[in-house]
Amino acid sequence: MTIRVALHHKTTYQYDRSITLGAHTVRLQPAHHARTPILAYSQQVTPADHFVNTQQDPFGNPLSRYVFQELTDHLSVTVDFVADM
């Protein structure tokens, strides 16, 4: 019998004025070579005006590098996934 686990993770930063965000690397995705099957995965980042490059580190772990274009007063990263344990 398998157990399904749903995880919701949200990180939010709120600033008192508009700032320029530097590039951010997000490492919140399970590795492709892990034994636990991932049934569903989503990653949402605001502000929405950004470029994203998906990459792998030298150990094969996925990461997302976000580059933001405009001034903003917040940053939010939300990850949801369902795993089959």
Side-chain angles (χ1 to χ4, degrees):
M1 179 175 171
T2 61
I3 298 172
R4 289 194 176 158
V5 177
L7 180 105
H8 173 79
H9 172 89
K10 184 171 186 175
T11 300
T12 302
Y13 298 96
Q14 187 69 43
Y15 306 102
D16 61 354
R17 63 184 172 277
S18 293
I19 63 165
T20 301
L21 290 171
H24 280 66
T25 302
V26 177
R27 296 175 178 267
L28 293 174
Q29 184 173 354
H32 302 294
H33 56 273
R35 290 188 220 171
T36 304
I38 304 302
L39 304 177
Y41 178 85
S42 72
Q43 186 176 85
Q44 299 167 348
V45 174
T46 60
D49 186 23
H50 61 262
F51 293 104
V52 62
N53 294 309
T54 54
Q55 303 168 339
Q56 283 188 346
D57 70 10
F59 303 102
N61 300 307
L63 58 96
S64 301
R65 186 171 187 273
Y66 290 89
V67 178
F68 300 92
Q69 300 299 305
E70 297 189 13
L71 295 173
T72 186
D73 65 351
H74 71 282
L75 171 64
S76 178
V77 179
T78 304
V79 172
D80 290 291
F81 75 85
V82 177
D84 208 2
M85 303 295 284

